[in-house]
Amino acid sequence: MGKFITFEGIDGAGKSTHIAFVSDYIKQRGVDLVSSREPGGTPLGEKLREIVLHEKMHLETEALLVFASRREHLAQVIEPALARGAWVISDRFTDSTFAYQGGGRGMSLAKLDALEQWVHPALQPDLTLLFDVPLDVARARLDATRELDKFEQEKSDFFAATRTEYLRRAAEFPQRFRVIDSTQSIAEIQQQIAAILDAFF
Ligand code: TMP
């Protein structure tokens, strides 16, 4: 079995900047690596992503669609890759659903637990890098970027609740979560990630 590594954080936490670094770092070790993302990661998943990111909908519809995208992603990409011994890195996974639909939107965590049990009863990431920043830093980064999607347009109380749920999960699952203070410089963060990956190898 390969290893499964996920990247998490509120919008504007800067995780995208570090995914390429992690990918290069792992490949340098000669590991067969698959890079993917959620929602998305498959042709059907990418169609669902467009809908989830741009259409207004009931919060439970939103949760069902991200889990539908995930089910396809697991079947088509994640499970086959891990089974052949490859490593998988995914830009977001189920922690995003707990943070955004659970924390941010207030959906029942028990229902999300049930969906998780349904879609991936046995699989959890081996390592989750949580990029954490205060809300004002995240907002300033978002305001400096391109056109904002549905989530990125949310107000600060949504992101406060999202961040709180992320940190709660990091405390609940300390064996797989590593929280990275994303207010640090890129060089400092890369140094920290390299140390985490060295320990992981
Ligand atoms: P991205 O901007 O990091 O690509 O993520 C897409 C957006 O989708 C981001 O705002 C978080 C949101 N999202 C959820 O709300 N629930 C989920 O389960 C996932 C995977 C993403």
Side-chain angles (χ1 to χ4, degrees), residues 59-117:
L59 72 98
E60 292 186 354
T61 309
E62 198 171 87
L64 289 164
L65 289 180
V66 293
F67 268 108
S69 163
R70 184 161 301 133
R71 186 68 193 88
E72 197 65 17
H73 193 206
L74 283 158
Q76 304 286 341
V77 178
I78 300 174
E79 288 169 350
L82 295 176
R84 69 166 198 267
W87 288 29
V88 178
I89 58 179
S90 184
D91 182 351
R92 302 192 178 282
F93 192 61
T94 298
D95 296 308
S96 281
T97 316
F98 278 89
Y100 281 78
Q101 281 66 48
R105 300 237 190 275
M107 182 169 163
S108 143
L109 297 185
K111 286 185 179 174
L112 294 178
D113 277 331
L115 287 172
E116 180 182 37
Q117 277 305 308

Coordinates of all heavy atoms in Angstrom, one line a residue, residues 59-117:
L59 N -27.6 23.0 2.0 CA -26.3 22.6 2.5 C -26.1 21.1 2.4 O -24.9 20.6 2.3 CB -26.0 23.2 3.9 CG -26.8 22.6 5.1 CD1 -26.0 21.6 5.8 CD2 -27.2 23.7 6.0
E60 N -27.2 20.3 2.6 CA -27.0 18.9 2.5 C -26.8 18.4 1.1 O -26.0 17.4 0.9 CB -28.2 18.2 3.2 CG -28.2 18.4 4.7 CD -29.2 17.7 5.5 OE1 -30.1 17.0 4.9 OE2 -29.2 17.7 6.7
T61 N -27.3 19.1 0.1 CA -27.0 18.8 -1.3 C -25.5 19.0 -1.5 O -24.9 18.2 -2.2 CB -27.8 19.8 -2.2 OG1 -29.2 19.7 -1.8 CG2 -27.7 19.4 -3.7
E62 N -25.0 20.1 -1.0 CA -23.6 20.4 -1.1 C -22.7 19.3 -0.6 O -21.8 18.8 -1.2 CB -23.3 21.7 -0.4 CG -22.1 22.4 -0.8 CD -22.0 23.8 -0.1 OE1 -21.6 23.9 1.1 OE2 -22.5 24.8 -0.7
A63 N -23.1 18.8 0.6 CA -22.3 17.7 1.3 C -22.4 16.5 0.4 O -21.4 15.7 0.3 CB -22.9 17.5 2.7
L64 N -23.6 16.2 -0.1 CA -23.8 15.0 -0.9 C -23.0 15.0 -2.2 O -22.4 14.1 -2.6 CB -25.3 14.7 -1.2 CG -26.1 14.3 0.0 CD1 -27.6 14.4 -0.2 CD2 -25.8 12.8 0.4
L65 N -22.9 16.2 -2.8 CA -22.2 16.3 -4.0 C -20.7 16.2 -3.8 O -20.0 15.6 -4.6 CB -22.5 17.7 -4.7 CG -23.9 17.8 -5.3 CD1 -24.1 19.1 -6.0 CD2 -24.1 16.7 -6.4
V66 N -20.2 16.8 -2.7 CA -18.7 16.6 -2.5 C -18.4 15.2 -2.1 O -17.3 14.7 -2.6 CB -18.1 17.6 -1.4 CG1 -18.1 19.0 -1.9 CG2 -18.7 17.5 0.0
F67 N -19.3 14.5 -1.4 CA -19.1 13.1 -1.2 C -19.2 12.2 -2.5 O -18.6 11.2 -2.6 CB -19.9 12.5 0.0 CG -19.2 12.6 1.3 CD1 -19.6 13.5 2.3 CD2 -18.2 11.7 1.6 CE1 -19.0 13.6 3.5 CE2 -17.5 11.8 2.8 CZ -17.9 12.7 3.8
A68 N -20.1 12.7 -3.4 CA -20.3 11.9 -4.7 C -18.9 12.1 -5.5 O -18.4 11.1 -6.0 CB -21.4 12.5 -5.4
S69 N -18.4 13.3 -5.5 CA -17.1 13.5 -6.2 C -16.1 12.7 -5.5 O -15.2 12.1 -6.2 CB -16.8 15.0 -6.1 OG -15.4 15.2 -6.3
R70 N -16.1 12.6 -4.2 CA -15.1 11.8 -3.5 C -15.2 10.3 -3.8 O -14.2 9.6 -3.9 CB -15.3 12.1 -2.0 CG -14.3 11.4 -1.0 CD -14.3 12.1 0.3 NE -14.0 13.6 0.1 CZ -14.7 14.6 0.7 NH1 -15.7 14.3 1.5 NH2 -14.4 15.8 0.5
R71 N -16.4 9.8 -3.9 CA -16.6 8.4 -4.1 C -16.0 8.0 -5.5 O -15.3 7.0 -5.6 CB -18.1 8.1 -4.2 CG -18.4 6.6 -4.3 CD -18.0 5.9 -3.0 NE -17.9 4.4 -3.2 CZ -16.8 3.7 -3.6 NH1 -15.7 4.4 -4.0 NH2 -16.8 2.4 -3.6
E72 N -16.2 8.9 -6.4 CA -15.6 8.7 -7.8 C -14.1 8.8 -7.7 O -13.4 8.0 -8.3 CB -16.2 9.7 -8.7 CG -16.1 9.4 -10.2 CD -16.8 8.2 -10.6 OE1 -17.7 7.7 -9.9 OE2 -16.5 7.6 -11.7
H73 N -13.6 9.8 -7.0 CA -12.2 10.0 -6.9 C -11.5 8.8 -6.2 O -10.4 8.3 -6.7 CB -12.0 11.2 -6.0 CG -10.6 11.8 -6.0 ND1 -10.2 12.6 -4.9 CD2 -9.6 11.8 -6.9 CE1 -8.9 13.0 -5.2 NE2 -8.6 12.5 -6.4
L74 N -12.1 8.2 -5.2 CA -11.6 7.0 -4.5 C -11.5 5.9 -5.5 O -10.5 5.2 -5.6 CB -12.4 6.7 -3.3 CG -12.2 7.6 -2.1 CD1 -13.4 7.5 -1.1 CD2 -10.9 7.1 -1.3
A75 N -12.7 5.7 -6.2 CA -12.8 4.5 -7.1 C -11.8 4.6 -8.3 O -11.2 3.6 -8.6 CB -14.2 4.3 -7.6
Q76 N -11.7 5.8 -8.8 CA -10.9 5.9 -10.1 C -9.5 6.2 -9.9 O -8.6 5.9 -10.7 CB -11.5 7.1 -10.9 CG -13.0 7.0 -11.3 CD -13.2 5.9 -12.3 OE1 -12.3 5.5 -13.1 NE2 -14.5 5.5 -12.4
V77 N -9.2 6.9 -8.8 CA -7.8 7.4 -8.6 C -7.1 6.9 -7.4 O -6.1 6.3 -7.4 CB -7.8 9.0 -8.7 CG1 -6.4 9.5 -8.4 CG2 -8.4 9.5 -10.0
I78 N -7.7 7.2 -6.2 CA -7.0 7.0 -4.9 C -6.8 5.6 -4.6 O -5.6 5.1 -4.4 CB -7.7 7.7 -3.8 CG1 -7.9 9.2 -4.0 CG2 -7.0 7.5 -2.4 CD1 -8.7 10.0 -3.0
E79 N -7.8 4.8 -4.7 CA -7.7 3.4 -4.3 C -6.8 2.6 -5.2 O -5.9 1.9 -4.8 CB -9.1 2.7 -4.1 CG -9.8 3.2 -2.8 CD -11.2 2.9 -2.7 OE1 -11.8 2.3 -3.7 OE2 -11.8 3.1 -1.6
P80 N -7.0 2.7 -6.6 CA -6.0 2.0 -7.5 C -4.6 2.4 -7.3 O -3.7 1.6 -7.3 CB -6.5 2.4 -8.9 CG -7.9 2.9 -8.7 CD -8.0 3.4 -7.3
A81 N -4.3 3.7 -7.1 CA -2.9 4.2 -6.9 C -2.3 3.6 -5.6 O -1.2 3.0 -5.7 CB -2.9 5.7 -6.9
L82 N -3.1 3.7 -4.5 CA -2.5 3.1 -3.3 C -2.3 1.6 -3.4 O -1.3 1.1 -2.9 CB -3.5 3.5 -2.1 CG -3.6 5.0 -1.8 CD1 -4.7 5.1 -0.6 CD2 -2.3 5.6 -1.3
A83 N -3.2 0.9 -4.1 CA -3.1 -0.5 -4.2 C -1.9 -0.9 -5.0 O -1.3 -2.0 -4.7 CB -4.4 -1.1 -4.8
R84 N -1.5 -0.1 -5.9 CA -0.3 -0.5 -6.7 C 1.0 0.0 -6.0 O 2.1 -0.1 -6.5 CB -0.3 -0.1 -8.1 CG -0.3 1.4 -8.4 CD 0.0 1.7 -9.9 NE 0.5 3.1 -10.0 CZ -0.3 4.1 -10.3 NH1 -1.6 4.0 -10.4 NH2 0.2 5.3 -10.4
G85 N 0.9 0.7 -4.8 CA 2.0 1.1 -4.1 C 2.4 2.5 -4.3 O 3.4 3.0 -3.8
A86 N 1.7 3.2 -5.2 CA 2.0 4.7 -5.4 C 1.5 5.5 -4.2 O 0.7 5.1 -3.4 CB 1.3 5.1 -6.7
W87 N 2.1 6.7 -4.1 CA 1.6 7.6 -3.1 C 0.6 8.6 -3.8 O 0.7 8.9 -5.0 CB 2.8 8.4 -2.5 CG 3.7 7.7 -1.6 CD1 3.9 6.3 -1.7 CD2 4.5 8.2 -0.5 NE1 4.8 6.0 -0.7 CE2 5.2 7.1 0.0 CE3 4.6 9.4 0.0 CZ2 6.0 7.2 1.1 CZ3 5.5 9.6 1.1 CH2 6.2 8.5 1.6
V88 N -0.3 9.1 -3.0 CA -1.3 10.0 -3.5 C -1.3 11.3 -2.6 O -1.3 11.2 -1.4 CB -2.7 9.4 -3.4 CG1 -3.8 10.5 -3.9 CG2 -2.8 8.2 -4.3
I89 N -1.2 12.5 -3.3 CA -1.4 13.7 -2.5 C -2.7 14.4 -3.0 O -2.9 14.4 -4.2 CB -0.2 14.7 -2.5 CG1 0.2 15.1 -3.9 CG2 1.0 14.1 -1.8 CD1 1.4 16.1 -3.9
S90 N -3.6 14.8 -2.1 CA -4.8 15.4 -2.5 C -5.0 16.8 -1.9 O -4.8 16.9 -0.7 CB -6.0 14.5 -2.2 OG -7.2 15.1 -2.7
D91 N -5.2 17.7 -2.8 CA -5.5 19.1 -2.3 C -7.0 19.0 -1.8 O -7.9 19.1 -2.6 CB -5.3 20.0 -3.5 CG -5.5 21.5 -3.2 OD1 -6.0 21.8 -2.0 OD2 -5.3 22.3 -4.0
R92 N -7.1 18.9 -0.5 CA -8.4 18.7 0.2 C -8.9 17.3 0.1 O -8.8 16.5 -0.9 CB -9.5 19.6 -0.3 CG -9.1 21.1 -0.2 CD -10.4 22.0 -0.5 NE -10.0 23.4 -0.4 CZ -9.9 24.0 0.8 NH1 -10.1 23.4 1.9 NH2 -9.6 25.3 0.8
F93 N -9.6 16.9 1.2 CA -10.3 15.6 1.3 C -11.4 15.8 2.4 O -11.9 16.9 2.6 CB -9.3 14.5 1.7 CG -9.8 13.1 1.5 CD1 -10.3 12.6 0.3 CD2 -9.8 12.2 2.6 CE1 -10.7 11.3 0.2 CE2 -10.3 10.9 2.5 CZ -10.8 10.4 1.3
T94 N -11.8 14.7 3.1 CA -13.0 14.8 3.9 C -12.9 15.8 5.1 O -13.9 16.3 5.5 CB -13.3 13.4 4.5 OG1 -13.5 12.5 3.3 CG2 -14.4 13.3 5.4
D95 N -11.7 16.1 5.5 CA -11.6 17.2 6.6 C -12.2 18.5 6.1 O -12.7 19.3 6.8 CB -10.1 17.4 7.0 CG -9.5 16.2 7.6 OD1 -10.2 15.6 8.6 OD2 -8.5 15.7 7.2
S96 N -12.1 18.7 4.7 CA -12.7 20.0 4.2 C -14.2 19.9 4.4 O -14.8 21.0 4.6 CB -12.4 20.1 2.7 OG -11.1 20.5 2.4
T97 N -14.8 18.8 4.2 CA -16.3 18.7 4.3 C -16.7 18.9 5.8 O -17.7 19.6 6.1 CB -16.8 17.3 3.9 OG1 -16.1 17.0 2.7 CG2 -18.3 17.3 3.7
F98 N -15.9 18.4 6.7 CA -16.3 18.6 8.1 C -16.1 20.1 8.4 O -16.9 20.7 9.1 CB -15.4 17.8 9.1 CG -15.9 16.4 9.2 CD1 -15.6 15.4 8.4 CD2 -16.8 16.1 10.3 CE1 -16.1 14.1 8.5 CE2 -17.4 14.8 10.4 CZ -17.0 13.8 9.5
A99 N -15.0 20.7 7.9 CA -14.7 22.1 8.2 C -15.7 23.1 7.5 O -16.3 24.0 8.2 CB -13.3 22.5 7.8
Y100 N -16.0 22.9 6.2 CA -16.8 23.8 5.4 C -18.3 23.5 5.6 O -19.1 24.4 6.0 CB -16.5 23.8 4.0 CG -15.2 24.6 3.6 CD1 -14.0 24.1 3.9 CD2 -15.3 25.8 3.1 CE1 -12.8 24.8 3.6 CE2 -14.2 26.6 2.8 CZ -12.9 26.0 3.0 OH -11.8 26.8 2.7
Q101 N -18.7 22.3 5.4 CA -20.2 22.0 5.5 C -20.6 21.8 7.0 O -21.7 22.3 7.4 CB -20.6 20.7 4.7 CG -20.7 21.0 3.2 CD -19.4 21.4 2.5 OE1 -18.4 20.7 2.7 NE2 -19.4 22.4 1.7
G102 N -19.7 21.2 7.8 CA -20.0 21.1 9.2 C -19.8 22.4 9.9 O -20.7 23.0 10.5
G103 N -18.5 22.8 10.0 CA -18.2 24.0 10.7 C -18.8 25.3 10.1 O -19.7 25.9 10.7
G104 N -18.5 25.5 8.9 CA -18.9 26.8 8.2 C -20.4 26.9 8.0 O -21.0 27.9 8.4
R105 N -21.0 25.8 7.5 CA -22.5 25.9 7.2 C -23.3 25.3 8.3 O -24.5 25.5 8.3 CB -22.8 25.1 6.0 CG -22.1 25.5 4.7 CD -23.1 25.9 3.6 NE -22.5 26.1 2.3 CZ -22.0 27.3 1.9 NH1 -21.9 28.3 2.8 NH2 -21.4 27.4 0.8
G106 N -22.7 24.6 9.3 CA -23.4 24.2 10.4 C -24.2 22.8 10.2 O -25.1 22.5 11.0
M107 N -23.8 22.1 9.2 CA -24.4 20.8 9.0 C -24.1 19.8 10.1 O -23.0 19.9 10.7 CB -24.0 20.2 7.7 CG -24.7 18.8 7.4 SD -24.4 18.3 5.7 CE -24.9 16.6 5.9
S108 N -25.0 19.0 10.5 CA -24.8 18.0 11.6 C -23.6 17.1 11.3 O -23.4 16.5 10.3 CB -26.1 17.1 11.6 OG -25.7 15.8 12.0
L109 N -22.7 17.1 12.3 CA -21.5 16.3 12.2 C -21.8 14.8 12.2 O -21.1 14.0 11.6 CB -20.5 16.7 13.3 CG -19.9 18.1 13.4 CD1 -18.9 18.2 14.5 CD2 -19.4 18.6 12.0
A110 N -22.9 14.5 12.8 CA -23.3 13.1 12.8 C -23.6 12.6 11.4 O -23.3 11.5 11.0 CB -24.4 12.8 13.8
K111 N -24.3 13.5 10.7 CA -24.6 13.1 9.3 C -23.4 13.0 8.4 O -23.3 12.1 7.6 CB -25.6 14.1 8.7 CG -27.0 14.0 9.2 CD -28.0 14.9 8.5 CE -29.4 14.7 9.0 NZ -30.3 15.7 8.5
L112 N -22.4 13.9 8.7 CA -21.2 13.8 7.9 C -20.4 12.6 8.3 O -19.8 11.9 7.4 CB -20.3 15.1 8.2 CG -20.9 16.4 7.6 CD1 -20.0 17.6 8.0 CD2 -21.1 16.3 6.1
D113 N -20.4 12.2 9.6 CA -19.8 10.9 10.0 C -20.4 9.8 9.3 O -19.7 8.9 8.8 CB -20.0 10.7 11.5 CG -19.0 11.4 12.4 OD1 -17.9 11.7 11.9 OD2 -19.4 11.7 13.5
A114 N -21.7 9.8 9.1 CA -22.4 8.7 8.4 C -22.0 8.6 6.9 O -21.7 7.5 6.4 CB -23.9 8.9 8.5
L115 N -21.9 9.8 6.3 CA -21.5 9.8 4.9 C -20.0 9.3 4.8 O -19.7 8.6 3.9 CB -21.6 11.2 4.3 CG -23.0 11.7 4.1 CD1 -23.0 13.2 3.7 CD2 -23.6 10.9 2.9
E116 N -19.2 9.7 5.7 CA -17.8 9.3 5.7 C -17.7 7.7 5.9 O -17.0 7.1 5.1 CB -17.0 10.0 6.8 CG -15.5 9.5 6.8 CD -14.7 10.2 8.0 OE1 -15.3 10.3 9.1 OE2 -13.6 10.5 7.7
Q117 N -18.5 7.2 6.8 CA -18.6 5.8 7.0 C -19.0 5.0 5.8 O -18.6 3.9 5.5 CB -19.5 5.4 8.2 CG -18.9 5.6 9.5 CD -17.6 4.7 9.7 OE1 -17.6 3.5 9.4 NE2 -16.5 5.4 10.0

